Every structure is written in structure tokens, then in C-alpha cells.
């Protein structure tokens, strides 16, 4: 496996691990995530809860597949991540296109409404996951230096963490609205 694939594994593992923790790691988080799916889903009632459980389970399974030291597991994790992120992209794009306002509960806590930035983010992440899968299948075996493997994983993990807080980082640079007391 090459170093690029290790970096992609680190990125997606960190991102999906944060996503799972954000959806189930505190009281009420899973309910808030489930509620955020209702306007997006083509199903209703208890099926939405089942879909929310499936999303969290698949995200967790991707993390597990990507940390296992077996190429078939890595490939399965990358292909599953590609498919999941592509589905997220399409669902969010449909929601934005319909003008539906839904809070992003992608990583558990954000109150920002889903928008074009989420479509772009998930589309890019799906592309990165797909290229990572291609690199596993067609790339040079390389990547045997443990130090470089660790650097690639850590670099990817930091990038994955940054992906989960990009909305917060962008908000730091937005103009502040004038206060009503001035």
C-alpha cells in the first residue's frame, strides 16, 4: 500500500470516528441526528430511526475496516466510504435544491444549515475516498517504512479532524454583525 492510501485512511478514520462520537457520544445527540434526517428522508416514522442507526453503524464499520492491517478490509472500507459520502452528497444536494432548511448534524453538534458547502465537501471527500481505493488497487506496493506510514496516517488524521471543524474555522473569519446596543 502506498503512503497516499495511508493518508486517506487516516483522514477518513478520524472524520468518521468524530462523526460517530458526535452522533452518539452525549445525551440527546442521536435523537438530534435522527430528527435532522426527517426532512431529508424518503421514509418516515420509525424507518428514520432505523436509517439513522444504519448511518452510524456504517460509519463505525468504515472506521474499523480502515484501521485493520489487511488490504481487503482497507479496500472495503474505502469503497464503503466512497458510496456513503456519495449518498450524503446526493441527499444534501436534493435538499438544498428543494430549499429545505435542515441543520447539519454530520458531526453531531453543528447548528449550521445544510448548504452547497456541504455538497462540495462531501463530493470532494467521496472523490478522495475513491482515489484512495484506486491507489490501493493499482498503486505501487511501497509504503513499508513505518515512520513514513505513521506520518501519512497522522497527516491524514489531522486533515480529517480539520474537515469536521471547517464550519467553525470559516465562521471565525466572517464579519461580526453590529450589536443592537451600539
Amino acid at each position: 500500500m502506498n503512503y497516499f492510501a495511508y493518508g486517506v485512511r487516516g483522514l477518513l478514520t478520524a472524520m468518521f470516528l468524530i462523526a460517530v462520537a458526535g452522533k452518539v457520544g452525549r445525551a440527546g445527540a442521536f435523537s438530534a441526528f435522527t430528527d435532522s434526517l426527517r426532512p431529508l428522508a424518503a421514509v418516515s416514522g420509525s424507518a428514520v430511526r432505523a436509517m439513522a442507526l444504519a448511518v452510524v453503524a456504517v460509519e463505525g464499520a468504515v472506521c474499523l475496516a480502515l484501521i485493520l492491517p489487511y488490504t481487503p478490509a482497507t479496500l472495503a472500507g474505502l469503497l464503503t466510504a466512497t458510496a456513503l459520502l456519495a449518498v450524503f452528497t446526493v441527499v444534501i444536494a436534493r435538499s438544498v435544491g428543494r430549499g429545505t432548511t435542515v441543520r447539519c448534524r454530520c458531526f453531531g453538534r453543528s447548528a449550521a444549515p445544510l448548504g452547497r458547502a456541504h455538497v462540495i465537501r462531501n463530493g470532494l471527500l467521496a472523490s478522495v475516498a475513491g482515489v484512495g481505493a484506486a491507489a490501493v488497487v493499482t498503486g505501487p506496493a511501497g509504503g513499508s517504512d513505518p515512520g513514513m506510514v505513521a506520518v501519512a496516517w497522522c497527516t491524514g488524521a489531522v486533515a480529517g479532524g480539520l474537515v469536521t471543524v471547517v464550519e467553525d474555522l470559516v465562521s471565525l473569519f466572517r464579519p461580526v454583525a453590529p450589536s443592537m446596543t451600539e
Side-chain angles (χ1 to χ4, degrees), residues 107-130:
F107 304 110
R109 292 179 277 162
S110 178
L114 291 171
R116 286 182 291 177
H118 296 93
V119 174
I120 293 166
R121 177 195 67 201
N122 288 334
L124 288 173
L125 288 168
S127 298
V128 167

Side-chain angles (χ1 to χ4, degrees), residues 84-94 118-123 126:
L84 187 60
L85 288 160
V87 168
F88 291 167
T89 303
V90 169
V91 169
I92 294 169
R94 284 183 51 216
H118 296 93
V119 174
I120 293 166
R121 177 195 67 201
N122 288 334

Side-chain angles (χ1 to χ4, degrees), residues 8 10 13 24-25 37 57 65 79-80 87 95 98 107 112 115 130 140 143 156 170 172:
V8 171
T13 300
V24 300
L37 293 180
L79 292 173
T80 303
V87 168
S95 171
R98 287 191 313 251
F107 304 110
V170 168
L172 292 174

Side-chain angles (χ1 to χ4, degrees), residues 56-155:
V56 172
V58 171
E59 289 175 340
V62 166
C63 290
L64 178 61
L66 293 177
I67 63 170
L68 292 173
Y70 306 107
T71 301
T74 297
L75 185 57
L78 290 168
L79 292 173
T80 303
T82 303
L84 187 60
L85 288 160
V87 168
F88 291 167
T89 303
V90 169
V91 169
I92 294 169
R94 284 183 51 216
S95 171
V96 170
R98 287 191 313 251
T100 307
T101 302
V102 179
R103 285 188 174 182
C104 174
R105 297 290 184 188
C106 310
F107 304 110
R109 292 179 277 162
S110 178
L114 291 171
R116 286 182 291 177
H118 296 93
V119 174
I120 293 166
R121 177 195 67 201
N122 288 334
L124 288 173
L125 288 168
S127 298
V128 167
V131 171
V136 168
V137 171
T138 63
S144 60
D145 177 10
M148 290 302 294
V149 168
V151 168
W153 257 98
C154 290
T155 301

